[in-house]
Amino acid sequence: MSKKILTIDDSKMVRILVTRALAPYDCQIVEAANGQEGLDAAVREKPDLILLDVTMPVMDGMTMLGQLRANPSFKATPVIMLTAEFAQENVAKADSLGISGYIAKPFKEANVVEKVRAVFPLATKPKQPGA
Amino acid sequence: MKPIAPPSKSTGLLKKYNIAPAPECVARLGQLVSQRTADVDEIAKIVASDKVLKERVLRAASPRRGDPIEDVDQAILRCGVDAVLVLAMADPLLRAVISAFGTLVAIPLERVDEATADPLGSGYIASVGFSGPASGTVFVRMQEYFAQSIAGTFLGTPPESTTLAEISDILGEIANTIVGNFKSNLSDAGLKCTLSVPRVTAGEIFTPPDCGVGRHHTYAFRHKGQPLSIDIVVESTE
């Protein structure tokens, strides 16, 4: 069964990069453009993994992560931070809320694949019949 | 002079998540921040230990006409410690610029001498503000064709068919990445700050805000003949 990955970032460019990185693999990508949309999408889609930016309008990533972890349904959902902010204080705060990885921007597509693979195996997408 | 050492717990977290530790220039900025009320000769020792920073400070302090200043102490007295801090912020900022363009959009940038760089005229300006003990704005400026090329290459479409929304999103993310990295380095140097949401404008000619002597610096780059300017305006350093 393919994995469902929720990307939460206000930048369409970043969402495109993540989708491109994971395109060869058997996974479904869901997108959200801020922390509030991300929370709504998490409840609706029940993702296997969340990729989460920090600086976003409406609700930032740290606030979203705190609210996510306060919901018993998402206490153990793997979250990988995807952010340009890697100051020691930011990393410590995210670590205290419970994360599975940290991708510092700017990132290459290979960084995304590597960090997702550290959470669960990524199967190559099955070939389409007639392809 | 005490070196700045990161707390051991934080170092462990950086290793846990495979995040590169801050470069030496950030430690140097941190030393300057922690020593900014110290005697000039203490600050001069820190400046003199970094060849590039020393040259920058001497050049900033030297009069446009007349003999250049060659003594670091004298240069610091002439510039003021705040201006030295702003000059020390250049290295983390420039590293972030080269990293963002090189990694996000595979564009290797070449530094050029600001004195001989082509003027940009009107074009795209992406800006992100930072506020805290150090407050200011970083501007990323380029001509329209360069912005269209960057967006077109990323999206796989002809540059001329890229929309303002597409260009704004991409330039905004590049600026956000640059200033986010810069902010992280400032924070690790003892200057915690918050960032504004990126703002992108098209067709404007850049007018730097009036912020006082030594608080606005322009750094020029080029890629295949296309000019790029990075401006940092530091309004205050508490």
Side-chain angles (χ1 to χ4, degrees):
Chain A
M1 196 161 146
S2 64
K3 299 289 190 185
K4 191 178 283 186
I5 298 173
L6 171 59
T7 305
I8 307 172
D9 198 304
D10 58 327
S11 165
K12 192 170 176 188
M13 180 189 196
V14 171
R15 302 196 302 268
I16 290 173
L17 280 168
V18 169
T19 300
R20 279 185 193 165
L22 298 173
Y25 304 101
D26 189 16
C27 53
Q28 181 190 349
I29 308 294
V30 180
E31 297 180 0
N34 60 62
Q36 186 58 62
E37 282 186 20
L39 277 175
D40 296 342
V43 169
R44 188 177 64 241
E45 303 285 344
K46 296 177 179 45
D48 299 294
L49 170 67
I50 297 173
L51 297 169
L52 178 61
D53 185 20
V54 171
T55 306
M56 293 181 286
V58 182
M59 182 188 288
D60 67 73
M62 293 295 188
T63 304
M64 183 271 175
L65 183 54
Q67 293 194 17
L68 187 80
R69 292 300 186 220
N71 183 331
S73 302
F74 298 102
K75 268 200 177 320
T77 302
V79 174
I80 297 175
M81 304 306 292
L82 181 65
T83 172
E85 301 194 35
F86 45 76
Q88 291 166 12
E89 183 189 38
N90 287 99
V91 179
K93 187 171 179 187
D95 180 72
S96 73
L97 289 168
I99 57 172
S100 301
Y102 211 102
I103 301 173
K105 293 177 182 176
F107 61 90
K108 291 186 192 291
E109 292 175 18
N111 298 142
V112 175
V113 175
E114 179 198 342
K115 296 291 183 181
V116 172
R117 275 201 168 127
V119 175
F120 47 63
L122 277 171
T124 308
K125 197 170 274 185
K127 280 190 184 156
Q128 296 298 318
Chain B
M1 184 177 12
K2 279 190 204 169
I4 304 274
S8 57
K9 183 183 174 196
S10 299
T11 306
L13 283 177
L14 294 184
K15 280 187 183 160
K16 178 179 176 182
Y17 296 113
N18 202 22
I19 297 168
E24 206 178 310
C25 57
V26 174
R28 189 116 51 235
L29 177 59
Q31 286 175 330
L32 284 167
V33 170
S34 68
Q35 294 287 318
R36 86 185 110 167
T37 55
D39 292 340
V40 169
D41 54 357
E42 283 297 316
I43 299 170
K45 277 183 202 164
I46 300 169
V47 171
S49 70
D50 182 329
K51 185 175 173 239
V52 172
L53 179 58
K54 178 183 164 187
E55 280 173 16
R56 240 179 236 148
V57 172
L58 290 175
R59 190 163 20 145
S62 295
R64 287 192 188 170
R65 292 190 191 89
D67 296 330
I69 289 175
E70 292 177 0
D71 178 71
V72 176
D73 284 56
Q74 194 183 352
I76 292 169
L77 283 168
R78 194 178 160 87
C79 284
V81 174
D82 283 355
V84 172
L85 273 177
V86 175
L87 288 168
M89 289 180 196
D91 278 328
L93 177 63
L94 298 178
R95 288 172 71 99
V97 170
I98 289 168
S99 174
F101 275 89
T103 306
L104 274 178
V105 289
I107 288 178
L109 293 175
E110 176 197 341
R111 276 294 304 279
V112 297
D113 185 348
E114 286 75 39
T116 57
D118 295 327
L120 275 176
S122 68
Y124 277 84
I125 304 173
S127 60
V128 179
F130 55 97
S131 58
S135 295
T137 310
V138 174
F139 300 87
V140 180
R141 302 188 287 128
M142 66 187 74
Q143 290 173 336
E144 185 179 17
Y145 180 72
F146 194 17
Q148 289 173 326
S149 296
I150 290 171
T153 303
F154 179 77
L155 295 168
T157 60
E160 56 274 12
S161 72
T162 53
T163 65
L164 176 60
E166 287 168 340
I167 295 171
S168 294
D169 180 73
I170 289 167
L171 294 190
E173 180 59 23
I174 291 173
N176 184 56
T177 300
I178 290 169
V179 189
N181 286 184
F182 178 56
K183 175 211 171 187
S184 299
N185 290 157
L186 288 183
S187 178
D188 285 342
L191 292 169
K192 276 195 290 190
C193 53
T194 55
L195 299 185
S196 71
V197 173
R199 180 171 173 262
V200 180
T201 59
E204 287 184 12
I205 293 179
F206 177 64
T207 307
D210 183 17
C211 55
V213 174
R215 290 179 175 275
H216 168 218
H217 294 281
T218 300
Y219 301 98
F221 296 84
R222 191 171 50 210
H223 171 70
K224 293 184 180 175
Q226 293 292 325
L228 173 81
S229 280
I230 305 296
D231 290 73
I232 177 167
V233 175
V234 181
E235 285 142 27
S236 67
T237 49
E238 287 173 17

